[in-house]
Amino acid sequence: MVCVAALRPRNAAATREAILAAARERFCRQSYDDVGLRQVANDAGVDAALISRYFGSKEDLFLAVLGSCEAGADLFDGPRESFGRRVADRVVFHRKEGAALQGMQIMLRSIGSARAIELVRVSSNQRFFDPFVAWLGGADGEVRAQLATSLVMGMTVSRELSGFDPCTRTGEAMRDRLAAMLQALVDDVETTQAPVQA
């Protein structure tokens, strides 16, 4: 007699997605070093062996989780001349939610783990930073990309931590100043002045 359950095909895509979603939630709440694959498997309602089958190691699972979060590469969509305004508007007036917020939480939790932060760098460089440098161009594109990224990330984290309400005059002023700084980096405008000769 053949067991009917044994003949029922597994839904590999659904299983993989369940593992990924469970891992994303875990890495949002706990540091990389504190997350165990058995915990993720329990959360997903699957056998721990399936994590290895679908993702390989814990590092591979972590990279897959990072890859499932918003990368921000859509910031390059649109004209260069409106980049500063577009990005500043998003940072100041649109709160991060869902996968975008999870990505930030995972990055912040990764700071305490040398291995996790290394994996975050690899993922961020491939999915955002290197394309941003190429998009910016110029001899010091990497410097400008680092400054712009730091501005955006710093403002995003600051907004989440401070509970800043952008629906005020200060919100518009903040957006306008941030837009000008970002656009200067995109346009490669020198923002420092030479020292005054005595």
Side-chain angles (χ1 to χ4, degrees), residues 13-45:
T15 301
R16 189 181 191 283
E17 186 51 44
I19 294 169
L20 196 59
R24 201 165 37 238
E25 286 296 326
R26 276 279 171 184
F27 287 124
C28 278
R29 295 193 317 264
Q30 295 175 266
S31 71
Y32 174 85
D33 296 329
D34 291 337
V35 173
L37 295 185
R38 288 189 188 281
Q39 295 171 315
V40 173
N42 284 340
D43 293 348

Side-chain angles (χ1 to χ4, degrees), residues 99-112:
L101 184 57
Q102 287 179 323
M104 185 195 321
Q105 290 169 328
I106 291 168
M107 285 192 289
L108 292 174
R109 290 211 183 275
S110 298
I111 291 172

Side-chain angles (χ1 to χ4, degrees), residues 13-184:
T15 301
R16 189 181 191 283
E17 186 51 44
I19 294 169
L20 196 59
R24 201 165 37 238
E25 286 296 326
R26 276 279 171 184
F27 287 124
C28 278
R29 295 193 317 264
Q30 295 175 266
S31 71
Y32 174 85
D33 296 329
D34 291 337
V35 173
L37 295 185
R38 288 189 188 281
Q39 295 171 315
V40 173
N42 284 340
D43 293 348
V46 301
D47 187 278
L50 287 176
I51 295 180
S52 297
R53 179 184 300 175
Y54 289 113
F55 294 97
S57 67
K58 178 178 171 179
E59 291 181 1
D60 294 328
L61 176 61
F62 187 67
L63 284 170
V65 165
L66 292 172
S68 73
C69 297
E70 181 185 89
D74 62 320
L75 296 177
F76 315 145
D77 294 341
R80 287 178 72 94
E81 58 270 14
S82 62
F83 176 86
R85 177 74 176 210
R86 270 195 331 270
V87 175
D89 193 72
R90 181 191 281 192
V91 170
V92 174
F93 292 109
H94 303 281
R95 297 189 76 87
K96 282 191 173 287
E97 297 176 342
L101 184 57
Q102 287 179 323
M104 185 195 321
Q105 290 169 328
I106 291 168
M107 285 192 289
L108 292 174
R109 290 211 183 275
S110 298
I111 291 172
S113 168
R115 185 59 189 140
I117 205 65
E118 183 181 334
L119 294 170
V120 166
R121 283 189 192 116
V122 167
S123 179
S124 297
N125 286 344
Q126 289 175 349
R127 297 173 62 233
F128 177 78
F129 192 73
D130 292 345
F132 190 26
V133 172
W135 183 80
L136 282 174
D140 65 345
E142 192 169 339
V143 171
R144 287 154 49 224
Q146 187 64 59
L147 288 169
T149 302
S150 298
L151 274 171
V152 170
M153 288 190 69
M155 283 295 302
T156 302
V157 171
S158 173
R159 177 185 164 160
E160 294 300 322
L161 293 177
S162 70
F164 167 72
D165 179 8
C167 299
T168 62
R169 279 193 340 224
T170 17
E172 290 184 3
M174 188 174 292
R175 189 262 324 275
D176 293 345
R177 285 183 178 266
L178 179 59
M181 289 187 279
L182 290 171
Q183 196 62 47

